[in-house]
Amino acid sequence: MMRIVTIIYFVCFLFNTRANAQSILGRKVSLNIVQQKLSVVLTMLEEKGEFRFSFNSDILPVDSVVTVKENNISIAETLEKLLTDRFEYRQSGNFVIIRYAPLELKLLILEALGTPELYTVKGQIVDKRTEQPISDASVYEKFLLVSEISDVDGFFVMRLKKITQPISLTISKENYKSTTTHFLAEVNITNKQENSSETFVNGNLEEIAKTWIGNALVTAKQKVQSVNIGGFISKAPFQFGLTPGLNSHGSLSGQVVNKFSFNAVGAYSAGVDGAEIGLVFNIDKSDVRFFQFGGAFNLVGGNVQGAQIAGFFNYVIGDVKAAQITLGYNHVGKNFEGFQVGGVYNRINENLKGMQVSLGLNAIGNNLNGFQVGALNLIAKDTRGVQIGVGGNVVNGRSTGMQVAGIANINKESNGLNMAAFANLTALTARGAQVGVLNYAKTLKGLQVGILNISGENDGYSIGLVNIALKGYHKLGLSTNETTELNAIYKGGSKRFYNMLMFGTNTKSSTKIYTGGLGFGKEISLFKSLSLNPEISSQYVYQGDWEYVNLLSKFELPVNIKINKWFAIQGGPSLNVYYTKQQTAIGDYGLLQQKHKDFSFKNSNYTGWIGWNVGIVLL
């Protein structure tokens, strides 16, 4: 026969404004506030009391205007004046937690019996004012980490094992003030005393359960516990879990941080402060420290520090300072510092400091400071370090360091070395070096090396087959000289350094000559309309047979006289050196050696002479 035991209440209190006088809520302050926003007053209280508030701004009227003129008044009394009795104030560590709780609960103990090895408590939770039963209220013993949820009629049954001190039951429910009741059971209590390890974790701890996979795997009871109890977290040395609903902490598992957790399939915890192994998965709504392994995946709502390994994916809402490895997908909601390896995809919403490697895509929401390797690398802001993209690298801010791409590097600004098998594209200013088949920069203040170099404004150096400065130096020249009657030259780049693409022909020779090649030059201004243009070039000379190498090298020193803004005349001396092994009917070493004999080298294929060049330049 069940018997009702005598319950000896020795403490019955609320975790609200009636806190210990030595607590934060008991600290004295003086205020002289007239028509100030509540948010400003709360900030002043934090500064005066040297603590921090935690609250949901959606339920607190932070924009309301208040007036407080009090001397030597406690923090708790101040909050009662500001917020009335619609809110609950709880202290944990250096936090004062404000909850919207206009209602109050009442705990009715209907039956309590057993031994210290197994003790059973039956009770009911009702509304204190209406006496109506309250369903889905949390009842938990913070020392033993045992919890229950009240049924539709407010009833619950709790079984407690290995009791060594008075029972302490806390009841919590959303929009109700939490109440803790201590009582002595009719059992022999040992001298062993235990201290509650309850702490408070600031922030929104419900995000992980709102993900599609978290919502599917976290049980309804665990979700209710999280809503009712909030950020009040306990610590335990060990957890064994089969599934989220079947584990050593029951429905309270989401409120417990474990030193070590082993999950045969998977489990849901508040966090880990040691090591966690899930043969299939791990779900933690707060922080994970030191080591976590999930056969399929790890899902973490807080921060990760240490090593995190998963088969398919790691998903972290907060910061990560760790080595993070998966064969599939890594997601970090805030900042990452360390080493990250993802088989398919790595995503960091804010900043990376360290190394990121993927066979597929790497994406960073803010800045990169480190080393990145992937098929495609995407940076939303700036990068400092090295990027290697098998396909390409895309930086929506400034790239500083080195970029290597199989196809293209695309930057808003670049201040380093960009190397690509095909293209380097900089939307604004390129201050470093671009090396690729195609290079483009709106403003070039560095170096371009490629086949086609394009810039809007060129204040640097472009070396390539074709250099085009849309708002810079680009000229077309037509000239004649002692060797070829007709020459066409395109000059592109900047005044300080331009490239020349050259073609020439001599149609009157008994053996026709065709020339083509590249050169470089620099414009030195002497007066307003007069400049000196030292130029050096090398051209292939075709004399009817492609089998031989015929090279004509020139150093020219023409004077450029500008007639108007689009037309100039140019002319001056040239030093020519010609190399060939080709034999023709005219001589042993070719047409040009027979035609020009100013100086030569004995028993050599080289011939040199002093020549001239004159022509026009279209600006």
Side-chain angles (χ1 to χ4, degrees), residues 246-312:
L246 296 174
N247 62 79
S248 55
H249 298 320
S251 62
L252 198 64
S253 65
Q255 303 301 126
V256 180
V257 173
N258 303 287
K259 285 287 185 183
F260 178 76
S261 179
F262 178 79
N263 309 311
V265 176
Y268 173 61
S269 306
V272 178
D273 194 19
E276 182 174 49
I277 298 174
L279 299 184
V280 179
F281 65 87
N282 301 299
I283 303 177
D284 295 272
K285 70 179 186 180
S286 184
D287 299 341
V288 170
R289 292 208 304 165
F290 304 134
F291 180 77
Q292 186 179 52
F293 173 84
F297 66 87
N298 295 305
L299 202 59
V300 178
N303 304 317
V304 173
Q305 180 181 348
Q308 188 181 47
I309 302 172
F312 296 139

Side-chain angles (χ1 to χ4, degrees), residues 186-197:
E186 203 174 69
V187 295
N188 294 323
I189 303 300
T190 69
N191 292 326
K192 181 181 179 181
Q193 296 293 314
E194 297 182 12
N195 296 319
S196 171
S197 60

Side-chain angles (χ1 to χ4, degrees), residues 475-480 485-491 503 568-570 613-618:
K475 303 179 185 296
L476 178 64
L478 299 174
S479 66
T480 185
E485 297 172 345
L486 180 62
N487 299 280
I489 306 174
Y490 172 77
K491 303 178 181 181
F503 299 97
I569 59 174
Q570 181 175 287
N613 179 77
V614 65
I616 62 172
V617 178
L618 303 177

